[in-house]
Amino acid sequence: MSIVNTLSLESNRQIKINFDGGDLSSDAGLLLIKEFVSKPGIDNLLGKVFKTNDSALFRYHTDQKNLLQMIYMIIAGYFEDDTSDELTNDPVFKSVLEKDTLASQPTVSRFFNRMDEDTLNQLLMIGRILRKRVYRIQMPQAVILDLDSTLLDAYGKQEGRAFNFHYQSNGYHPLVCYNGMTGDLVKIQLRDETEYSSTGVVDFLQPILDEYLNDYPAIRILLRGDSGFATPDLYKQCEENGT
């Protein structure tokens, strides 16, 4: 039995049949995500505001593209950075990132290792800028800041990993703040698993209150949290900030 590598139809020589498979992808939905990212200018914003502590004069895989690659990968369900090696020639990922190839796993790991406290502050600033763009379209009358803590499972011997009796699990216990009206994440801060729910909440919350009081003085600020956040210091902070 002969194997057909390429077959041209006699009725139309422009049509060819083969078994190469072509450039296939199961992640075509990312093209719509790309459209959403471009509308408020998130991709351009990352290029202007986001920069790791990098001494290299030139990189083909820039910080902006590396961050966008990880965002698209997570949205598509690829949570491990080593999956970037499998996606390096995926046509949809190359299209949304506007690159010939994706950054490899070692490149992504080096990218993560360059992140520091300044990088995290840049990400918080990006969130603040995006909130301004959204509020220009429609300014809310009130915002509900939902305080909470959650479990991030960790495996191995990562720094700060510990056992939490409440969750009966090893990992981290970060502080989180969501916009209770929209579900958007406003801020998150990593802590080790032994920290109590409200530990460090006053310092965590103050920059958020400063942003809303300075940028949107007309918005009424409401704070919501469970009993783990019922502390005198937090009550005092709310009173001092009109919250």
Side-chain angles (χ1 to χ4, degrees):
M1 180 179 178
S2 61
I3 298 176
V4 178
N5 292 322
T6 300
L7 173 67
S8 297
L9 298 184
E10 293 184 4
S11 59
N12 188 339
R13 290 294 178 180
Q14 299 299 317
I15 300 177
K16 300 182 184 300
I17 301 173
N18 61 44
F19 294 92
D20 292 342
D23 294 330
L24 303 178
S25 176
S26 61
D27 300 302
L30 288 178
L31 296 171
L32 298 178
I33 302 296
K34 164 71 172 180
E35 184 74 3
F36 172 79
V37 167
S38 298
K39 283 290 185 180
I42 296 175
D43 42 3
N44 292 329
L45 177 62
L46 295 182
K48 295 178 180 178
V49 179
F50 183 78
K51 185 72 171 70
T52 64
N53 184 18
D54 188 5
S55 59
L57 297 178
F58 172 79
R59 288 189 185 274
Y60 174 74
H61 301 289
T62 64
D63 287 337
Q64 174 210 20
K65 295 296 185 182
N66 289 338
L67 182 57
L68 279 173
Q69 175 177 324
M70 294 310 303
I71 291 174
Y72 284 127
M73 285 174 57
I74 292 171
I75 290 174
Y78 303 105
F79 301 109
E80 307 295 334
D81 54 3
D82 59 359
T83 57
S84 56
D85 287 337
E86 303 174 10
L87 300 170
T88 183
N89 291 311
D90 184 278
V92 171
F93 275 90
K94 291 194 296 183
S95 177
V96 297
L97 291 170
E98 302 176 19
K99 297 172 63 175
D100 295 330
T101 58
L102 271 66
S104 64
Q105 182 273 323
T107 299
V108 172
S109 295
R110 289 191 293 268
F111 166 66
F112 282 140
N113 288 334
R114 294 197 300 272
M115 290 192 180
D116 52 18
E117 186 174 354
D118 182 56
T119 311
L120 297 178
N121 289 332
Q122 292 174 28
L123 293 173
L124 292 175
M125 177 57 66
I126 290 169
R128 184 170 183 172
I129 293 173
L130 289 175
R131 277 189 289 277
K132 280 187 175 181
R133 293 182 180 180
V134 171
Y135 288 166
R136 285 197 198 106
I137 300 173
Q138 184 175 2
M139 183 73 69
Q141 294 181 345
V143 62
I144 300 176
L145 299 177
D146 267 336
L147 286 176
D148 204 351
S149 61
T150 188
L151 169 71
L152 290 181
D153 286 314
Y155 307 93
K157 298 182 179 180
Q158 292 94 331
E159 182 181 356
R161 168 186 176 271
F163 182 78
N164 184 283
F165 285 93
H166 176 75
Y167 292 104
Q168 291 292 299
S169 181
N170 287 287
Y172 301 99
H173 192 203
L175 269 172
V176 292
C177 178
Y178 290 93
N179 183 327
M181 308 289 284
T182 63
D184 295 333
L185 178 66
V186 178
K187 185 179 181 181
I188 183 168
Q189 179 175 309
L190 194 64
R191 305 178 301 178
D192 70 49
E193 187 67 290
T194 60
E195 298 289 357
Y196 184 66
S197 295
S198 61
T199 301
V201 67
V202 171
D203 292 337
F204 171 81
L205 181 61
Q206 191 59 51
I208 303 174
L209 296 178
D210 290 341
E211 173 188 342
Y212 276 91
L213 291 171
N214 293 328
D215 296 354
Y216 321 108
I219 294 180
R220 183 185 181 196
I221 305 173
L222 306 174
L223 190 68
R224 182 166 61 191
D226 60 24
S227 59
F229 294 94
T231 64
D233 288 342
L234 186 56
Y235 287 138
K236 180 181 179 181
Q237 183 182 35
C238 289
E239 291 174 357
E240 292 176 348
N241 289 274
T243 300

